[in-house]
Amino acid sequence: MTKLFSGIQPSGEIHLGNYLGALKNWIKLQKKYDCIFSIVDYHAITVPYSPKTLPENIIETAIILLSIGINPKKSILFVQSTVSEHTELAWILNTITPLGDLKRMTQFKQKAKAHPKAINAGLLNYPILMAADILLYKAEYVPVGEDQLQHLELTRTIARKFNKLFGKTFPEPKPILGKAKRIMSLTNPKNKMSKSTKNPNSYIALTDKPDVIWKKLSTAVTDPARKRKTDPGTPEKCNLFTLHQFFSSKKEIDYIIDGCKKAKIGCLECKKILAKNISKELVPIQKKIEKFLKNKDLVREILEDGAKKAKKIAKKNLAEIKKKMGFIF
Ligand code: AQP
């Protein structure tokens, strides 16, 4: 079967952006591809982080992935730092990646702006490590949200360059975009929903209980034209209407479009429908999360087993790469 790789950073609470933009797709793709999923902890240390919470974040990310339906019997699930070939290949790819390409990456510019006192070389080299993650397994497909497309394009450029210099080795990996390309922040819809933000009201975490979901939605920004209930609105201009597309039924969506455009319903009613539907999808996931939280040893075993399987492929491919480059051992 064709190989597919994707990763998620253990950099905070996993939110609806991650879920709709990437993770929900991961579950479906398991049927069609040979999937390798990684909790990319080396990526998460490129911005200031806490060594005290990193271990928890790693295990909780794994628990969420297992709870939404990643099947470790079908797919490989492992922690990036436990397969050292990732950083070894990243070093190699460093030497064929132009500095200018790294400096123009949007994510680098945004994160450098967000952490002006912590602009480290790792933040700049982030896309090289991402290229190494993917190319190490010769993955042909990478399911990602729109925010990662630029990095994937660079991975393709790096793969082409390596193939040209040292002989055909890597496929040029293609993105698989979900229907939810980019989910925006609840408090500032100009920004994408993001884990590492300081404002938890800007995202809905998969672990948020129904009362928290309601609290966050009740203060979320909607169509700016609707200052009062009597103001007609444009659903397409409302950030929350995007979320309805993924959680609400056709009948509810039609009701909202009509009610919003003709000012027959207020934003609060629309938000109540959304809160109910998001909770309906997240509560069963949260029940599974509770079970895994009581059995963290099992989660560790799954990750260790995944690392063994990933290492086997990584070791073989890295040996081939090094041989082509002229290394003698
Ligand atoms: N808002 C989003 N809409 C759609 N997809 C998204 N993804 C992230 N945010 C959105 C997709 O989720 C996958 C995992 O993301 P990541 O952990 O690798 O890092 P990220 O893209 O940088 O996501 P965050 O949540 O914004 O994390 P931080 O704040 O730590 O940087 C990716 O496929 C991503 O496209």
Side-chain angles (χ1 to χ4, degrees):
M1 267 207 289
T2 312
K3 278 216 165 50
L4 173 152
F5 179 93
S6 202
I8 181 157
Q9 298 184 74
S11 48
E13 293 188 291
I14 295 178
H15 51 73
L16 289 185
N18 302 129
Y19 180 60
L20 299 172
L23 305 183
K24 248 188 133 169
N25 230 357
W26 290 14
I27 312 305
K28 276 201 245 146
L29 294 165
Q30 291 184 110
K31 290 199 191 102
K32 202 168 153 202
Y33 297 96
D34 224 342
C35 294
I36 303 174
F37 297 123
S38 184
I39 297 166
V40 290
D41 49 352
Y42 274 150
H43 282 278
I45 63 168
T46 56
V47 289
Y49 77 101
S50 159
K52 285 205 181 97
T53 54
L54 185 62
E56 246 168 70
N57 282 348
I58 293 171
I59 293 294
E60 278 167 20
T61 302
I63 288 179
I64 287 183
L65 296 179
L66 294 166
S67 302
I68 62 170
I70 296 298
N71 180 353
K73 291 198 179 105
K74 260 193 199 147
S75 306
I76 297 179
L77 176 65
F78 74 105
V79 178
Q80 180 191 36
S81 63
T82 60
V83 178
S84 54
E85 283 79 1
H86 284 250
T87 39
E88 224 177 310
L89 181 57
W91 176 258
I92 288 172
L93 300 181
N94 259 304
T95 63
I96 61 164
T97 308
L99 188 57
D101 285 4
L102 296 172
K103 282 187 178 164
R104 67 178 176 81
M105 292 290 120
T106 309
Q107 183 178 286
F108 170 69
K109 288 190 217 158
Q110 283 169 347
K111 292 202 171 173
K113 206 169 156 197
H115 306 280
K117 291 194 181 128
I119 309 173
N120 59 72
L123 189 62
L124 182 73
N125 289 344
Y126 182 113
I128 301 181
L129 182 57
M130 179 167 156
D133 297 337
I134 299 163
L135 299 178
L136 188 57
Y137 300 98
K138 301 191 180 185
E140 289 184 52
Y141 288 97
V142 186
V144 280
E146 201 179 45
D147 62 317
Q148 293 296 331
L149 280 181
Q150 197 185 31
H151 287 170
L152 193 59
E153 197 45 52
L154 183 59
T155 300
R156 291 164 59 81
T157 308
I158 294 172
R160 258 196 311 276
K161 188 153 180 201
F162 187 98
N163 290 345
K164 198 166 162 221
L165 288 169
F166 304 108
K168 176 97 182 96
T169 310
F170 301 122
E172 283 180 38
K174 296 180 199 63
I176 300 180
L177 272 176
K179 269 199 280 173
K181 292 182 180 60
R182 193 182 291 248
I183 299 296
M184 308 313 275
S185 153
L186 297 180
T187 47
N188 181 358
K190 285 200 179 104
N191 296 337
K192 71 162 192 157
M193 197 177 272
S194 178
K195 285 188 230 96
S196 55
T197 161
K198 287 187 187 76
N199 180 6
N201 285 330
S202 67
Y203 60 79
I204 291 179
L206 296 198
T207 49
D208 281 344
K209 297 282 186 288
D211 58 325
V212 179
I213 294 174
W214 170 242
K215 207 171 141 240
K216 290 184 179 179
L217 284 181
S218 62
T219 54
V221 173
T222 55
D223 175 1
R226 297 207 75 189
K227 293 196 176 56
R228 284 171 300 270
K229 194 178 165 181
T230 47
D231 295 330
T234 313
E236 295 74 23
K237 286 190 183 159
C238 176
N239 192 29
L240 297 188
F241 185 67
T242 315
L243 290 177
H244 272 293
Q245 318 288 322
F246 301 102
F247 294 101
S248 300
S249 67
K250 164 103 182 42
K251 200 171 152 200
E252 285 167 323
I253 292 174
D254 289 345
Y255 172 74
I256 288 160
I257 295 175
D258 184 59
C260 177
K261 280 187 173 167
K262 296 182 185 154
K264 288 197 274 188
I265 62 164
C267 292
L268 218 59
E269 187 182 343
C270 173
K271 286 173 170 182
K272 275 186 187 153
I273 300 172
L274 184 60
K276 175 194 78 170
N277 292 337
I278 294 178
S279 299
K280 202 168 135 198
E281 181 150 343
L282 296 193
V283 166
I285 295 174
Q286 291 169 2
K287 287 195 177 135
K288 290 187 189 147
I289 293 175
E290 293 300 324
K291 281 195 186 155
F292 278 114
L293 279 172
K294 288 185 192 132
N295 199 354
K296 287 188 185 168
D297 285 345
L298 171 66
V299 179
R300 283 185 163 275
E301 271 169 40
I302 290 171
L303 293 174
E304 277 164 20
D305 184 54
K308 274 188 208 143
K309 290 179 188 156
K311 181 109 189 158
K312 206 169 154 198
I313 309 169
K315 222 173 146 181
K316 180 171 163 278
N317 288 345
L318 188 66
E320 180 199 337
I321 293 161
K322 286 175 73 176
K323 194 166 173 213
K324 283 189 171 152
M325 293 180 75
F327 291 100
I328 58 168
F329 294 108

